[in-house]
Amino acid sequence: MPKPRIRRLLSSVLALAGITAAGLVAATPAHAAVFQTYGSGVNVRADAYLSSAVVRTLSGPTSIDVDCQKEGDLVTVSGGSSKWWAHIPAFGGYVTVAYVAIPEDKLPGVPECGGADPNPPSGDVTLADVQAMFGSRIANPSIVETGLPSLNQAMRDANITTPYRKAAFLATLVHESRLEYNIREIGDTRLYGGRGYIQLTGDFNYRPAGQYFGIDLLGNPELARSLQWSAPIARWYWTVARNINPYADALNMGKVDAAIGFPAGTEDQGRCDSFKNALRYLTGSVPAGVICTRSKALAGDTSKLSRAQFDALGKVGTGLG
């Protein structure tokens, strides 16, 4: 797909000025290359994903020193697209290459971010952690351990970094999938039945999730329980299909459960108990104010609602849910 015309024009201007990408690489230290962004309001994010926290916004065209680039979410602008993101050490984050003034989809002369992450992770969840939180629910430790690197990355991408958010997310997944990235809902033979960490279900979820990541989930639904995509799909649902972090911040497990999409019932209390166990492990105690129940408006099956519809329904009435 061709890049936006403005990118070609800006590249031409740079070339006429004798400032080519190759020249920039040669003229700067080995660890960095200089490029120019275009447009206004371009976000620098904590990682290479649209759901990652915004750490800075560029008010206009900006010169950026890039030390490496990595693949992330596909970004399309004015008919062009790129899945590559440039790491900018000075800003502590990544900007999509779609808004860098070059004709290519990938930065020339810039290495991929490999080995050590420019922003080393901290506070990752370990197998010992989840076993302490959820005990016998961790039925296949080797599978759980294999998936944890990708799951921890997804949590960072979704800004699930506080004890409340971690407890809500992990308690949800341990009930959905036992924290096994490759699980298929037992007995579910539907083409778009439950798969992966979040048990993605229904073409109404497979389609938008696939579109978000630029993959054909409708044609290849098994991708939803692959090691590559299971965790990213879970964070997509948590932050894009729904906006669940605020419910975790409010200790409102009732709304978390409603957002996942199953009708109210005895399962709510079980998940809330797991939430409390995780909170106790992560903080040393269970804080006051944990909400386990739902309002009447959120008691039914909300799985097919859009994010806007769910948000509107959540505002109906008052009460605990």
Side-chain angles (χ1 to χ4, degrees), residues 23 40 58 61 72 138 146 154 173 181 184 198 220 223 231 237 249 254 256 263 266 277 290 304 311:
S40 59
L58 307 181
I138 306 300
T146 297
L173 295 195
Y181 71 90
R184 180 76 157 91
I198 202 75
N220 301 279
L223 290 174
Y237 191 89
D249 294 341
V256 171
T266 57
N277 287 340
V290 173
K304 294 185 179 180
D311 290 346

Side-chain angles (χ1 to χ4, degrees), residues 192-257:
Y192 301 119
R195 289 180 174 89
Y197 280 123
I198 202 75
Q199 288 293 280
L200 192 72
T201 303
D203 58 354
F204 49 87
N205 278 319
Y206 278 78
R207 179 180 292 107
Q211 290 172 340
Y212 181 85
F213 290 110
I215 58 176
D216 183 13
L217 278 181
L218 286 179
N220 301 279
E222 282 290 282
L223 290 174
R225 64 186 187 118
S226 67
L227 185 58
Q228 180 180 4
W229 295 111
S230 185
I233 286 171
R235 64 100 174 159
W236 166 83
Y237 191 89
W238 196 265
T239 60
V240 180
R242 295 286 187 264
N243 182 26
I244 301 181
N245 277 335
Y247 308 147
D249 294 341
L251 297 172
N252 195 330
M253 200 62 186
K255 275 194 173 180
V256 171
D257 292 343

Side-chain angles (χ1 to χ4, degrees), residues 157-212:
D157 298 339
N159 204 24
I160 301 172
T161 54
T162 67
Y164 290 7
R165 293 181 181 186
K166 287 181 177 181
F169 185 69
L170 293 171
T172 295
L173 295 195
V174 81
H175 281 259
E176 289 290 321
S177 60
R178 300 182 304 192
L179 289 175
E180 297 172 24
Y181 71 90
N182 61 348
I183 202 166
R184 180 76 157 91
E185 186 174 349
I186 298 173
D188 191 346
T189 59
R190 295 173 296 171
L191 180 61
Y192 301 119
R195 289 180 174 89
Y197 280 123
I198 202 75
Q199 288 293 280
L200 192 72
T201 303
D203 58 354
F204 49 87
N205 278 319
Y206 278 78
R207 179 180 292 107
Q211 290 172 340
Y212 181 85

